[in-house]
Amino acid sequence: MTHTLEELLAGWITHQRWFAGKGRAITDLAVEAVTPLPLRGPAESFHSDVAGSCGTTHRGRPRTHEQVEVRHIVITVRQDTRTDRYQLLVGFRPVLPQRLLHAAIGEAADGHAYDAVHDADVTGLLLSSMAAEADIGGLRFRRMPGSEIDTSLRSLVLGAEQSNTSLVFGDAYICKLFRKIVPGVNPELEVVSALAERGSPNIARPYGWIEADVAGQNTTLAFTQEFLRTASDGWALALTSVRDLYGSLSSTAASEAGGDFAAESNRLGMATAHLHKELAAAFPTSTVEAPEVKRMVEGFRRRLEDAISEVPQLAAHAAVAHEAFDRLADTGRPITVQRVHGDYHLGQVMRTPSEWVVLDFEGEPGQPLQDRRALDSPLRDVAGMLRSFEYASRHLLADHPDVARLQPRASEWAQRNRAAFIAGYSAGGGRIHGDDAVLLRALELSKAAYEVVYEARNRPAWLPIPLAAFADPIG
Ligand SMILES: Nc1ncnc2c1ncn2[C@@H]1O[C@H](COP(=O)(O)OP(=O)(O)O)[C@@H](O)[C@H]1O
Ligand SMILES: O=P(O)(O)O[C@H]1O[C@H](CO)[C@@H](O[C@H]2O[C@H](CO)[C@@H](O)[C@H](O)[C@H]2O)[C@H](O)[C@H]1O
């Protein structure tokens, strides 16, 4: 029996890592817009493998592109009072080849529907349409001025657990499809383009994007950047260091263990300071006076209360956070604000042979766009990275048989790398003073409250990591 596409999608979407509404029942799923994507591409610009034969999955029997259809689909998902939009690339085939079974959505009236981001026979249309600056239905594909795009490359979906879906083309480009669509220009496109224009070495070069009008606003749907093929991400590098430390039974000090990360943390601090300087030069800056700081603190409190209503375990720790927020409200000091990264952590930075490069300027997924674009203290990013050192040091401890012995080492590793990062940030010209400890502490606890909700929704086994932030006497 076939189901409507809406029914199929409602069953399928809840299992997708990028679906933000996990744990709540879907009350309605509606298709808002459908744009058929031409597999023969605009003006024959489409890669010939696809336009000609669409691959050869049935051995000796070339498949024609007529048997494959790809539609760009925008859906709205209602859960109680909340409605979110998502974008999908849905393929339809009479039969799903083995290599696409993992991407199956289900059998619809038009054939077997599947998540076409996994179909390298068709994803080339994204690149070729960007290269050709095509307008297809309401979708506008755009190329960064001055850049050339090689449209012959085939894609693979990046395996990382993500809030979005990224396609890596050859080893040249990474195209991120923003899954949850928030009307407006995505800060990632806005910020990376501005920093690229300034020649910043700390970003991956932008190549193109896709946009459309959503709810009457020009909205970014996807963004293509240089793929940093020789780089390693900060999270993986930090964990290697932590593993070395835990494995070196004879050594007691993080500084003596093989794979010490402190020099990299220091360089990362410097790169972060440079990035903040570039952001301050490219966008407006301002000062938040003391009365407004009090309002900002009220925002922190609301976020904490919202987190408690979703994760009641957090209530037992609320006093620690309120005390830190009280101290910030009482300082009476103004705060300098500017554009910041907004969701800064070790998974957002990559070490190339020459530099730390910063990715993912989208801000915290799930927050309204105006909040993600708002000016903020650069120390919000510093706090985010400090939290990430805590995560890296603690996450290998869960279920570890030697946890009692390793716990002090974990704390020492985190302290050492926090200090190295802050020293690098100051050496790089980042403004950080003794008095900033109060702001940093409040920002760290506010971030930890966000993380508690994030982990409860996505990785409940990791919940103890952000909860521990409310017990530690840091700051
Ligand atoms: N330009 C790039 N070059 C190489 N790898 C990248 C690049 N951009 C992202 N990645 C990889 O993809 C992961 C997730 O990317 P990110 O932009 O943070 O996506 P999301 O918003 O879905 O979390 C990164 O941790 C990194 O491993
Ligand atoms: O990278 P995203 O924009 O998807 O960010 C979200 O997911 C992150 C996890 O992938 C999450 O980060 C948290 O876990 C990290 C380890 O996996 C840790 O380094 C971070 O410090 C911690 O906040 C991030 O909060 C969330 O927005």
Side-chain angles (χ1 to χ4, degrees):
M1 172 190 144
T2 57
H3 294 273
T4 64
L5 186 60
E6 287 84 348
E7 286 167 348
L8 293 175
L9 291 173
W12 171 80
I13 199 170
T14 52
H15 302 292
Q16 305 312 305
R17 169 70 164 80
W18 41 262
F19 178 57
K22 293 201 187 69
R24 292 182 292 272
I26 294 179
T27 38
D28 185 48
L29 185 150
V31 170
E32 183 177 279
V34 180
T35 309
L37 297 176
L39 288 185
R40 218 172 256 287
E44 295 300 317
S45 64
F46 199 69
H47 178 216
S48 59
D49 274 5
V50 183
S53 71
C54 254
T56 52
T57 48
H58 300 288
R59 200 178 306 165
R61 187 158 57 90
R63 241 187 310 104
T64 61
H65 71 276
E66 281 81 12
Q67 289 177 278
V68 187
E69 253 190 71
V70 180
R71 298 178 201 153
H72 180 272
I73 297 182
V74 176
I75 56 170
T76 51
V77 179
R78 192 148 61 82
Q79 296 175 288
D80 301 324
T81 54
R82 150 188 180 156
T83 302
D84 290 322
R85 275 192 186 84
Y86 293 90
Q87 70 168 323
L88 315 170
L89 208 59
V90 181
F92 295 87
R93 287 175 177 257
V95 180
L96 272 197
Q98 186 76 23
R99 71 185 170 87
L100 290 175
L101 289 181
H102 72 286
I105 295 174
E107 194 178 348
D110 299 339
H112 287 272
Y114 66 100
D115 188 2
V117 297
H118 294 277
D119 189 353
D121 280 355
V122 302
T123 50
L125 74 87
L126 301 174
L127 272 194
S128 58
S129 304
M130 275 184 248
E133 302 224 66
D135 289 338
I136 303 173
L139 303 178
R140 299 185 290 275
F141 294 79
R142 294 294 175 260
R143 182 167 43 87
M144 234 2 113
S147 68
E148 295 229 339
I149 300 178
D150 175 356
T151 59
S152 70
L153 303 172
R154 287 172 68 81
S155 68
L156 270 178
V157 174
L158 201 77
E161 287 262 293
Q162 286 182 281
S163 310
N164 295 295
T165 298
S166 292
L167 301 178
V168 177
F169 286 90
D171 60 3
Y173 314 118
I174 179 164
C175 173
K176 192 197 293 192
L177 291 175
F178 300 111
R179 286 299 197 160
K180 188 170 150 189
I181 303 178
V182 182
V185 174
N186 192 287
E188 179 138 56
L189 172 62
E190 185 187 24
V191 169
V192 173
S193 312
L195 296 187
E197 238 172 72
R198 298 184 57 79
S200 168
N202 302 110
I203 46 121
R205 189 176 159 196
Y207 279 92
W209 71 96
I210 309 174
E211 61 183 35
D213 292 337
V214 176
Q217 289 187 61
N218 177 15
T219 299
T220 317
L221 300 177
F223 183 39
T224 299
Q225 278 177 282
E226 163 195 12
F227 180 64
L228 304 166
R229 66 191 159 84
T230 56
S232 307
D233 82 81
W235 175 249
L237 290 174
L239 285 196
T240 305
S241 162
V242 175
R243 263 189 216 103
D244 272 359
L245 176 66
Y246 291 176
S248 56
L249 289 166
S250 56
S251 166
T252 46
S255 55
E256 287 164 26
D260 180 24
F261 193 64
E264 284 304 340
S265 297
N266 189 269
R267 276 186 211 108
L268 180 58
M270 273 191 220
T272 305
H274 292 155
L275 181 84
H276 282 157
K277 267 196 260 175
E278 295 282 349
L279 285 169
F283 296 96
T285 61
S286 179
T287 302
V288 174
E289 300 298 341
E292 280 177 75
V293 172
K294 284 195 194 303
R295 275 197 290 280
M296 186 174 129
V297 170
E298 287 318 307
F300 291 177
R301 293 193 207 281
R302 273 197 303 279
R303 174 186 245 197
L304 179 68
E305 292 312 320
D306 288 351
I308 291 172
S309 62
E310 191 163 337
V311 187
Q313 270 170 279
L314 185 56
H317 307 279
V320 173
H322 282 302
E323 194 191 317
F325 299 159
D326 288 344
R327 284 176 66 190
L328 177 60
D330 292 346
T331 54
R333 287 180 59 220
I335 295 174
T336 307
V337 290
Q338 61 164 89
R339 285 297 288 267
V340 300
H341 182 279
D343 187 22
Y344 205 45
H345 59 80
L346 285 162
Q348 313 280 38
V349 290
M350 295 196 83
R351 182 72 164 96
T352 69
S354 55
E355 215 13 295
W356 277 102
V357 170
V358 180
L359 308 170
D360 200 4
F361 288 84
E362 269 188 278
E364 284 172 357
Q367 306 301 320
L369 200 65
Q370 75 268 21
D371 292 4
R372 297 199 258 139
R373 297 182 64 217
L375 305 189
D376 206 333
S377 166
L379 294 189
R380 178 178 291 283
D381 291 342
V382 173
M385 196 53 78
L386 297 183
R387 289 288 313 131
S388 210
F389 290 127
E390 298 294 332
Y391 258 77
S393 72
R394 287 171 191 275
H395 119 280
L396 297 173
L397 287 183
D399 302 328
H400 200 292
D402 224 357
V403 62
R405 184 180 62 87
L406 293 178
Q407 186 73 64
R409 288 188 156 202
S411 301
E412 188 199 349
W413 187 95
Q415 279 306 329
R416 178 171 171 74
N417 287 284
R418 289 167 66 99
F421 178 82
I422 288 177
Y425 188 75
S426 303
R431 285 160 43 104
I432 186 159
H433 307 290
D435 294 349
D436 287 326
V438 175
L439 174 58
L440 257 182
R441 169 86 172 142
L443 287 167
E444 269 199 74
L445 289 176
S446 179
K447 180 72 183 181
Y450 163 84
E451 289 168 345
V452 164
V453 175
Y454 181 87
E455 301 305 352
R457 284 184 193 166
N458 295 290
R459 309 179 290 201
W462 291 43
L463 193 50
I465 302 178
L467 281 176
F470 299 88
D472 279 356
I474 297 167

